[in-house]
Amino acid sequence: MTFVTKLRFESGDRAVLDETVEGLKGLLERKGAECKGPHADSPDRKRVPQYRSLAPGDSYGNWTYTVYTRRMEIHGNEHIAREVTMKEFPPSVHVEVEVEQRNPLGGHN
């Protein structure tokens, strides 16, 4: 049985996001981990209404911002994946981790 650790990174700061993900990829390659990615999703443009007061109808223009996303997978190497999940990331980068167990092709449960 193989473990696949899926990492999803999101940030409004594209430069910090790219630097974080590329640094992590370099670390994984130096440690000999099989890594897929980073893969970039299309930027997600967010719009948030802003109100002058709690009364309805009195508002400013919408606040808009962009969220950038990168995805990576680590195959096998549970100890390296565990080390990565405990790593400190910049506060402007949101990290989600999902661990999946996969049986080898032709394997039985």
Side-chain angles (χ1 to χ4, degrees), residues 86-97:
M86 299 177 83
K87 183 174 171 41
E88 288 280 332
F89 292 101
S92 63
V93 177
H94 174 77
V95 182
E96 293 178 12
V97 179

Side-chain angles (χ1 to χ4, degrees), residues 55-89:
D58 193 17
S59 64
Y60 296 107
N62 287 339
W63 175 48
T64 59
Y65 63 99
T66 304
V67 176
Y68 302 95
T69 304
R70 303 290 181 267
R71 294 173 290 107
M72 296 176 72
E73 289 184 359
I74 304 170
H75 292 257
N77 296 309
E78 293 83 23
H79 66 285
I80 294 173
R82 187 175 299 116
E83 181 181 326
V84 167
T85 60
M86 299 177 83
K87 183 174 171 41
E88 288 280 332
F89 292 101

Side-chain angles (χ1 to χ4, degrees), residues 7 17 22-23 26-27 33 45 48-49 59 61 64 66 89 96 100 103 107 109:
L7 302 164
L17 178 65
E22 290 302 323
L27 172 73
R45 192 103 168 118
V48 180
S59 64
T64 59
T66 304
F89 292 101
E96 293 178 12
E100 183 179 293
N103 290 325
N109 289 343

Side-chain angles (χ1 to χ4, degrees), residues 9-68:
F9 302 87
E10 293 181 331
S11 181
D13 188 336
R14 185 177 182 174
V16 170
L17 178 65
D18 287 340
E19 181 180 319
T20 300
V21 172
E22 290 302 323
L24 180 59
K25 181 166 178 77
L27 172 73
L28 293 169
E29 288 174 346
R30 284 191 302 278
K31 293 192 175 236
E34 182 184 345
C35 175
K36 294 187 178 179
H39 304 288
D41 292 348
S42 297
D44 188 13
R45 192 103 168 118
K46 305 282 187 181
R47 293 173 37 153
V48 180
Q50 299 183 87
Y51 297 97
R52 294 179 194 269
S53 67
L54 295 177
D58 193 17
S59 64
Y60 296 107
N62 287 339
W63 175 48
T64 59
Y65 63 99
T66 304
V67 176
Y68 302 95

